Amino acid sequence: MQRVEERAYAKINIGLDVLRRRPDGYHEVKMIMQTVDICDDLMLERTSGPGIQLKTDNAQLPTNRDNLICRAAALLMEEKKIAEGVKITLTKRIPIAAGMAGGSSDAAATMRGLNTLFDMGYSEKDLQRLGVKLGADIPYCIVGGTMLSEGIGEILTPLPAPPKAHLVVAKPDINVSTAFVYGNLHVERLKDHPDIDGMAKALSQGDLQGVCERMGNVLETVTVKEYPVIDQIKNLMREMGAANALMSGSGPTVFGIFTDSKQAQAAAAAMEEHALAGQIFVTGFYAV
Ligand code: ATP
């Protein structure tokens, strides 16, 4: 095979809890991940000379080893001692530094693509085991869908997808560092923890209302304090009819869940009118 195309989907966390900080510095999480219909496109092509080349339409992104795509490619090519090279072309749509696992999803797509391109023979489990070395969200991004994610993100349990709904995803024009947010989280001081088990149960009953009632993200305690615009976006989404709205991951992206498509469109328009977010999407859950 000379060339492979892969899609890298963004995720949101419909529930995100942090249980404790481990002695090694990692945080033990309990979260529900959901793929959304916003994606990057990757094209992977064999080259006769050695090396990893990355091209992208987004000038903000590094194209060297600072890009997770190059790190993921190097990891697999070195493991399998591939002498040939690869050229990867990335079309970027997922908001950057947004809490939507854009980089992790690109890395996971790179691993899947290279596995096919060079017939590496890795199983999904192998790719997840290798991917976690580069980032805690990568094991999830290898498979996607609706998952309970525990441990540091490597213990994954599939859940039923939520019932169909309309999503408004809004990324304000600020970039949030995941390291800053986790670094400033005081787990022992958290008063409220989202009911993740209850949310998993609501999913298994196909109860969208039950899911929405239990939405919560403990990382909001850090990011919202720093960036009040997140609360403004959440409030506007609720005023415009969202069943609920929440920050995704470490933020600053906010998503609102709507049962009515017209209300979702109107909420997106209102967000634009109030200039609360530079990137706004009206989309839905993506079932893998
Ligand atoms: P997460 O939800 O996993 O915390 P995120 O959405 O907060 O992810 P990313 O978009 O993955 O964050 O990017 C975070 C940083 O990683 C950016 O500052 C960016 O420069 C760097 N980065 C490296 N590779 C990529 C990539 N392929 N796409 C996006 N960002 C990348």
Side-chain angles (χ1 to χ4, degrees):
M1 198 172 296
Q2 278 308 310
R3 161 180 157 164
V4 165
E5 287 179 17
E6 280 288 337
R7 285 216 148 136
Y9 282 91
K11 64 86 185 158
I12 52 174
N13 302 90
I14 48 181
L16 192 160
D17 196 11
V18 180
L19 306 182
R20 67 183 186 108
R21 188 171 185 274
R22 302 195 320 195
D24 62 7
Y26 280 103
H27 286 86
E28 215 170 277
V29 293
K30 183 163 179 175
M31 43 194 195
I32 296 184
M33 324 278 284
Q34 173 63 46
T35 312
V36 297
D37 202 359
I38 301 171
C39 69
D40 293 345
D41 284 326
L42 288 91
M43 190 164 71
L44 299 94
E45 296 166 276
R46 280 179 188 246
T47 57
S48 45
I52 297 157
Q53 300 168 46
L54 175 63
K55 293 228 167 356
T56 173
D57 59 346
N58 189 313
Q60 248 183 286
L61 289 177
T63 51
N64 56 16
R65 283 268 183 143
D66 289 336
N67 198 303
L68 272 176
I69 291 177
C70 299
R71 306 241 298 274
L75 181 68
L76 291 202
M77 311 270 284
E78 280 159 23
E79 276 265 325
K80 288 286 179 187
K81 301 190 171 40
I82 305 277
E84 282 170 86
V86 65
K87 179 179 158 195
I88 303 172
T89 310
L90 167 71
T91 307
K92 192 76 192 167
R93 297 189 202 89
I94 303 174
I96 297 168
M100 302 193 80
S104 303
S105 190
D106 288 347
T110 301
M111 296 175 85
R112 292 194 305 264
L114 287 177
N115 194 30
T116 310
L117 189 66
F118 292 106
D119 208 4
M120 289 174 166
Y122 286 124
S123 67
E124 260 175 16
K125 285 256 171 315
D126 294 333
L127 295 181
Q128 289 176 321
R129 181 179 43 78
L130 286 165
V132 77
K133 294 182 192 171
L134 299 177
D137 279 345
I138 296 181
Y140 163 73
C141 291
I142 296 284
V143 286
T146 312
M147 290 271 175
L148 173 68
S149 166
E150 295 173 286
I152 64 160
E154 82 290 14
I155 306 170
L156 296 167
T157 311
L159 294 170
K164 195 171 173 311
H166 306 277
L167 282 182
V168 177
V169 173
K171 156 118 191 330
D173 284 332
I174 41 178
N175 286 352
V176 171
S177 141
T178 306
F180 168 85
V181 176
Y182 275 98
N184 285 279
L185 179 73
H186 300 285
V187 185
E188 66 296 340
R189 288 191 220 153
L190 290 172
K191 288 193 200 77
D192 298 314
H193 290 270
D195 177 12
I196 302 290
D197 293 330
M199 184 181 276
K201 197 163 168 211
L203 282 168
S204 63
Q205 292 167 344
D207 172 11
L208 185 65
Q209 195 53 39
V211 169
C212 291
E213 278 164 14
R214 291 173 176 82
M215 277 162 53
N217 177 352
V218 296
L219 300 182
E220 285 186 344
T221 57
V222 181
T223 319
V224 174
K225 215 185 286 162
E226 200 77 14
Y227 303 107
V229 67
I230 294 168
D231 251 351
Q232 286 175 265
I233 297 176
K234 286 176 63 180
N235 291 337
L236 184 57
M237 286 204 190
R238 289 184 190 131
E239 275 165 33
M240 298 297 293
N244 208 348
L246 191 73
M247 183 182 87
S248 180
S250 49
T253 301
V254 174
F255 63 93
I257 299 184
F258 294 77
T259 49
D260 183 279
S261 78
K262 287 205 181 74
Q263 283 185 332
Q265 294 288 351
M271 215 78 61
E272 205 161 343
E273 201 178 303
H274 289 78
L276 289 179
Q279 289 172 282
I280 302 165
F281 304 81
V282 181
T283 181
F285 302 128
Y286 180 79
V288 291

PDB file of all heavy atoms in Angstrom, residues 11 61-62 66-69 92 95-104 106 137 178 250, ligand 1:
ATOM      1  N   LYS A  11     -13.034  14.784  20.783  1.00  0.00           N
ATOM      2  CA  LYS A  11     -13.878  14.247  21.873  1.00  0.00           C
ATOM      3  C   LYS A  11     -14.337  15.366  22.784  1.00  0.00           C
ATOM      4  O   LYS A  11     -13.704  16.437  22.854  1.00  0.00           O
ATOM      5  CB  LYS A  11     -13.142  13.173  22.684  1.00  0.00           C
ATOM      6  CG  LYS A  11     -11.893  13.660  23.455  1.00  0.00           C
ATOM      7  CD  LYS A  11     -12.158  14.249  24.832  1.00  0.00           C
ATOM      8  CE  LYS A  11     -10.907  14.825  25.471  1.00  0.00           C
ATOM      9  NZ  LYS A  11     -11.065  15.812  26.495  1.00  0.00           N
ATOM     10  N   LEU A  61       0.675  25.331  14.194  1.00  0.00           N
ATOM     11  CA  LEU A  61       1.163  24.041  14.710  1.00  0.00           C
ATOM     12  C   LEU A  61       2.615  23.770  14.346  1.00  0.00           C
ATOM     13  O   LEU A  61       3.038  24.058  13.227  1.00  0.00           O
ATOM     14  CB  LEU A  61       0.310  22.897  14.144  1.00  0.00           C
ATOM     15  CG  LEU A  61      -1.098  22.784  14.682  1.00  0.00           C
ATOM     16  CD1 LEU A  61      -1.830  21.655  13.981  1.00  0.00           C
ATOM     17  CD2 LEU A  61      -1.078  22.526  16.189  1.00  0.00           C
ATOM     18  N   PRO A  62       3.365  23.181  15.272  1.00  0.00           N
ATOM     19  CA  PRO A  62       4.730  22.775  14.923  1.00  0.00           C
ATOM     20  C   PRO A  62       4.687  21.591  13.949  1.00  0.00           C
ATOM     21  O   PRO A  62       3.721  20.832  13.942  1.00  0.00           O
ATOM     22  CB  PRO A  62       5.319  22.335  16.272  1.00  0.00           C
ATOM     23  CG  PRO A  62       4.136  21.956  17.110  1.00  0.00           C
ATOM     24  CD  PRO A  62       2.998  22.814  16.649  1.00  0.00           C
ATOM     25  N   ASP A  66       7.795  18.359  18.130  1.00  0.00           N
ATOM     26  CA  ASP A  66       6.848  18.919  19.097  1.00  0.00           C
ATOM     27  C   ASP A  66       5.421  18.559  18.722  1.00  0.00           C
ATOM     28  O   ASP A  66       4.503  18.732  19.532  1.00  0.00           O
ATOM     29  CB  ASP A  66       6.968  20.459  19.153  1.00  0.00           C
ATOM     30  CG  ASP A  66       8.260  20.875  19.822  1.00  0.00           C
ATOM     31  OD1 ASP A  66       8.792  20.069  20.617  1.00  0.00           O
ATOM     32  OD2 ASP A  66       8.751  21.986  19.528  1.00  0.00           O
ATOM     33  N   ASN A  67       5.228  18.120  17.482  1.00  0.00           N
ATOM     34  CA  ASN A  67       3.885  17.703  17.081  1.00  0.00           C
ATOM     35  C   ASN A  67       3.706  16.238  17.448  1.00  0.00           C
ATOM     36  O   ASN A  67       4.554  15.399  17.146  1.00  0.00           O
ATOM     37  CB  ASN A  67       3.682  17.898  15.578  1.00  0.00           C
ATOM     38  CG  ASN A  67       2.214  17.886  15.240  1.00  0.00           C
ATOM     39  OD1 ASN A  67       1.506  16.922  15.539  1.00  0.00           O
ATOM     40  ND2 ASN A  67       1.733  18.959  14.637  1.00  0.00           N
ATOM     41  N   LEU A  68       2.584  15.964  18.090  1.00  0.00           N
ATOM     42  CA  LEU A  68       2.330  14.585  18.543  1.00  0.00           C
ATOM     43  C   LEU A  68       2.288  13.590  17.375  1.00  0.00           C
ATOM     44  O   LEU A  68       2.559  12.409  17.556  1.00  0.00           O
ATOM     45  CB  LEU A  68       0.998  14.525  19.301  1.00  0.00           C
ATOM     46  CG  LEU A  68       1.053  14.812  20.799  1.00  0.00           C
ATOM     47  CD1 LEU A  68      -0.351  14.810  21.374  1.00  0.00           C
ATOM     48  CD2 LEU A  68       1.905  13.760  21.525  1.00  0.00           C
ATOM     49  N   ILE A  69       1.951  14.086  16.200  1.00  0.00           N
ATOM     50  CA  ILE A  69       1.923  13.217  15.006  1.00  0.00           C
ATOM     51  C   ILE A  69       3.323  12.663  14.748  1.00  0.00           C
ATOM     52  O   ILE A  69       3.491  11.453  14.521  1.00  0.00           O
ATOM     53  CB  ILE A  69       1.419  14.019  13.779  1.00  0.00           C
ATOM     54  CG1 ILE A  69      -0.065  14.348  13.960  1.00  0.00           C
ATOM     55  CG2 ILE A  69       1.692  13.275  12.477  1.00  0.00           C
ATOM     56  CD1 ILE A  69      -0.657  15.193  12.857  1.00  0.00           C
ATOM     57  N   LYS A  92      -6.317  20.510   9.473  1.00  0.00           N
ATOM     58  CA  LYS A  92      -6.702  20.723  10.875  1.00  0.00           C
ATOM     59  C   LYS A  92      -8.045  21.429  10.981  1.00  0.00           C
ATOM     60  O   LYS A  92      -8.232  22.493  10.397  1.00  0.00           O
ATOM     61  CB  LYS A  92      -5.605  21.558  11.561  1.00  0.00           C
ATOM     62  CG  LYS A  92      -5.711  21.623  13.062  1.00  0.00           C
ATOM     63  CD  LYS A  92      -5.244  20.354  13.736  1.00  0.00           C
ATOM     64  CE  LYS A  92      -5.607  20.315  15.190  1.00  0.00           C
ATOM     65  NZ  LYS A  92      -5.432  18.975  15.776  1.00  0.00           N
ATOM     66  N   PRO A  95     -10.403  22.472  17.140  1.00  0.00           N
ATOM     67  CA  PRO A  95      -9.758  23.598  17.829  1.00  0.00           C
ATOM     68  C   PRO A  95      -8.528  23.135  18.623  1.00  0.00           C
ATOM     69  O   PRO A  95      -8.516  22.025  19.167  1.00  0.00           O
ATOM     70  CB  PRO A  95     -10.860  24.119  18.756  1.00  0.00           C
ATOM     71  CG  PRO A  95     -12.137  23.664  18.143  1.00  0.00           C
ATOM     72  CD  PRO A  95     -11.833  22.361  17.453  1.00  0.00           C
ATOM     73  N   ILE A  96      -7.524  23.995  18.652  1.00  0.00           N
ATOM     74  CA  ILE A  96      -6.230  23.655  19.284  1.00  0.00           C
ATOM     75  C   ILE A  96      -6.197  24.135  20.729  1.00  0.00           C
ATOM     76  O   ILE A  96      -6.721  25.209  21.043  1.00  0.00           O
ATOM     77  CB  ILE A  96      -5.081  24.295  18.467  1.00  0.00           C
ATOM     78  CG1 ILE A  96      -5.076  23.678  17.059  1.00  0.00           C
ATOM     79  CG2 ILE A  96      -3.731  24.110  19.151  1.00  0.00           C
ATOM     80  CD1 ILE A  96      -4.194  24.419  16.072  1.00  0.00           C
ATOM     81  N   ALA A  97      -5.551  23.328  21.580  1.00  0.00           N
ATOM     82  CA  ALA A  97      -5.457  23.629  23.023  1.00  0.00           C
ATOM     83  C   ALA A  97      -6.834  23.973  23.576  1.00  0.00           C
ATOM     84  O   ALA A  97      -7.037  25.001  24.216  1.00  0.00           O
ATOM     85  CB  ALA A  97      -4.457  24.751  23.291  1.00  0.00           C
ATOM     86  N   ALA A  98      -7.770  23.077  23.313  1.00  0.00           N
ATOM     87  CA  ALA A  98      -9.184  23.371  23.526  1.00  0.00           C
ATOM     88  C   ALA A  98      -9.865  22.445  24.525  1.00  0.00           C
ATOM     89  O   ALA A  98     -10.984  22.682  24.933  1.00  0.00           O
ATOM     90  CB  ALA A  98      -9.913  23.261  22.186  1.00  0.00           C
ATOM     91  N   GLY A  99      -9.203  21.327  24.881  1.00  0.00           N
ATOM     92  CA  GLY A  99      -9.852  20.318  25.721  1.00  0.00           C
ATOM     93  C   GLY A  99     -10.629  19.320  24.901  1.00  0.00           C
ATOM     94  O   GLY A  99     -11.515  18.634  25.396  1.00  0.00           O
ATOM     95  N   MET A 100     -10.287  19.223  23.598  1.00  0.00           N
ATOM     96  CA  MET A 100     -10.988  18.294  22.710  1.00  0.00           C
ATOM     97  C   MET A 100     -10.071  17.186  22.189  1.00  0.00           C
ATOM     98  O   MET A 100     -10.407  16.477  21.243  1.00  0.00           O
ATOM     99  CB  MET A 100     -11.612  19.052  21.537  1.00  0.00           C
ATOM    100  CG  MET A 100     -12.571  20.136  22.002  1.00  0.00           C
ATOM    101  SD  MET A 100     -13.570  20.761  20.665  1.00  0.00           S
ATOM    102  CE  MET A 100     -14.811  19.489  20.536  1.00  0.00           C
ATOM    103  N   ALA A 101      -8.904  17.044  22.794  1.00  0.00           N
ATOM    104  CA  ALA A 101      -7.948  15.979  22.466  1.00  0.00           C
ATOM    105  C   ALA A 101      -7.514  15.981  21.007  1.00  0.00           C
ATOM    106  O   ALA A 101      -7.250  14.919  20.436  1.00  0.00           O
ATOM    107  CB  ALA A 101      -8.512  14.614  22.856  1.00  0.00           C
ATOM    108  N   GLY A 102      -7.421  17.177  20.414  1.00  0.00           N
ATOM    109  CA  GLY A 102      -7.033  17.262  19.002  1.00  0.00           C
ATOM    110  C   GLY A 102      -5.685  16.599  18.724  1.00  0.00           C
ATOM    111  O   GLY A 102      -5.564  15.803  17.794  1.00  0.00           O
ATOM    112  N   GLY A 103      -4.697  16.931  19.512  1.00  0.00           N
ATOM    113  CA  GLY A 103      -3.360  16.363  19.307  1.00  0.00           C
ATOM    114  C   GLY A 103      -3.348  14.861  19.538  1.00  0.00           C
ATOM    115  O   GLY A 103      -2.756  14.102  18.766  1.00  0.00           O
ATOM    116  N   SER A 104      -4.026  14.423  20.592  1.00  0.00           N
ATOM    117  CA  SER A 104      -4.071  12.981  20.905  1.00  0.00           C
ATOM    118  C   SER A 104      -4.789  12.214  19.797  1.00  0.00           C
ATOM    119  O   SER A 104      -4.389  11.104  19.434  1.00  0.00           O
ATOM    120  CB  SER A 104      -4.822  12.734  22.217  1.00  0.00           C
ATOM    121  OG  SER A 104      -4.225  13.453  23.256  1.00  0.00           O
ATOM    122  N   ASP A 106      -5.016  13.105  16.633  1.00  0.00           N
ATOM    123  CA  ASP A 106      -4.113  13.059  15.470  1.00  0.00           C
ATOM    124  C   ASP A 106      -3.055  11.967  15.666  1.00  0.00           C
ATOM    125  O   ASP A 106      -2.721  11.237  14.721  1.00  0.00           O
ATOM    126  CB  ASP A 106      -3.391  14.403  15.286  1.00  0.00           C
ATOM    127  CG  ASP A 106      -4.309  15.502  14.778  1.00  0.00           C
ATOM    128  OD1 ASP A 106      -5.430  15.198  14.339  1.00  0.00           O
ATOM    129  OD2 ASP A 106      -3.883  16.679  14.816  1.00  0.00           O
ATOM    130  N   ASP A 137      -4.809  10.438  26.832  1.00  0.00           N
ATOM    131  CA  ASP A 137      -6.049  10.346  26.040  1.00  0.00           C
ATOM    132  C   ASP A 137      -5.882   9.469  24.791  1.00  0.00           C
ATOM    133  O   ASP A 137      -6.857   9.178  24.100  1.00  0.00           O
ATOM    134  CB  ASP A 137      -6.498  11.748  25.574  1.00  0.00           C
ATOM    135  CG  ASP A 137      -7.240  12.510  26.670  1.00  0.00           C
ATOM    136  OD1 ASP A 137      -7.659  11.884  27.663  1.00  0.00           O
ATOM    137  OD2 ASP A 137      -7.409  13.741  26.515  1.00  0.00           O
ATOM    138  N   THR A 178      -3.256  22.234  29.484  1.00  0.00           N
ATOM    139  CA  THR A 178      -3.749  21.127  30.317  1.00  0.00           C
ATOM    140  C   THR A 178      -2.880  20.998  31.575  1.00  0.00           C
ATOM    141  O   THR A 178      -3.383  20.772  32.680  1.00  0.00           O
ATOM    142  CB  THR A 178      -3.710  19.806  29.504  1.00  0.00           C
ATOM    143  OG1 THR A 178      -4.450  20.029  28.289  1.00  0.00           O
ATOM    144  CG2 THR A 178      -4.319  18.652  30.255  1.00  0.00           C
ATOM    145  N   SER A 250      -9.887  20.061  29.948  1.00  0.00           N
ATOM    146  CA  SER A 250      -9.326  21.156  30.740  1.00  0.00           C
ATOM    147  C   SER A 250      -9.737  22.514  30.183  1.00  0.00           C
ATOM    148  O   SER A 250      -9.288  23.550  30.657  1.00  0.00           O
ATOM    149  CB  SER A 250      -7.798  21.033  30.780  1.00  0.00           C
ATOM    150  OG  SER A 250      -7.292  20.834  29.484  1.00  0.00           O
TER     151      SER A 250
HETATM  152  P1  ATP B   1      -6.510  17.542  25.509  1.00  0.00           P
HETATM  153  O1  ATP B   1      -8.000  17.567  25.450  1.00  0.00           O
HETATM  154  O2  ATP B   1      -5.927  16.165  25.297  1.00  0.00           O
HETATM  155  O3  ATP B   1      -5.947  18.259  26.699  1.00  0.00           O
HETATM  156  P2  ATP B   1      -6.161  19.832  23.913  1.00  0.00           P
HETATM  157  O4  ATP B   1      -7.329  20.006  23.016  1.00  0.00           O
HETATM  158  O5  ATP B   1      -6.239  20.608  25.192  1.00  0.00           O
HETATM  159  O6  ATP B   1      -5.988  18.318  24.230  1.00  0.00           O
HETATM  160  P3  ATP B   1      -4.281  19.962  21.764  1.00  0.00           P
HETATM  161  O7  ATP B   1      -5.111  20.621  20.721  1.00  0.00           O
HETATM  162  O8  ATP B   1      -4.040  18.524  21.623  1.00  0.00           O
HETATM  163  O9  ATP B   1      -4.854  20.270  23.219  1.00  0.00           O
HETATM  164  O10 ATP B   1      -2.905  20.769  21.785  1.00  0.00           O
HETATM  165  C1  ATP B   1      -2.221  21.141  22.909  1.00  0.00           C
HETATM  166  C2  ATP B   1      -0.824  21.620  22.476  1.00  0.00           C
HETATM  167  O11 ATP B   1      -0.151  20.549  21.823  1.00  0.00           O
HETATM  168  C3  ATP B   1      -0.868  22.775  21.479  1.00  0.00           C
HETATM  169  O12 ATP B   1      -0.316  23.897  22.101  1.00  0.00           O
HETATM  170  C4  ATP B   1      -0.053  22.334  20.285  1.00  0.00           C
HETATM  171  O13 ATP B   1       0.978  23.219  19.920  1.00  0.00           O
HETATM  172  C5  ATP B   1       0.551  20.999  20.666  1.00  0.00           C
HETATM  173  N1  ATP B   1       0.338  19.981  19.593  1.00  0.00           N
HETATM  174  C6  ATP B   1       1.219  19.078  19.209  1.00  0.00           C
HETATM  175  N2  ATP B   1       0.737  18.331  18.206  1.00  0.00           N
HETATM  176  C7  ATP B   1      -0.494  18.771  17.935  1.00  0.00           C
HETATM  177  C8  ATP B   1      -1.486  18.403  16.975  1.00  0.00           C
HETATM  178  N3  ATP B   1      -1.278  17.437  16.082  1.00  0.00           N
HETATM  179  N4  ATP B   1      -2.652  19.072  16.993  1.00  0.00           N
HETATM  180  C9  ATP B   1      -2.864  20.041  17.915  1.00  0.00           C
HETATM  181  N5  ATP B   1      -1.945  20.443  18.811  1.00  0.00           N
HETATM  182  C10 ATP B   1      -0.767  19.819  18.838  1.00  0.00           C
END
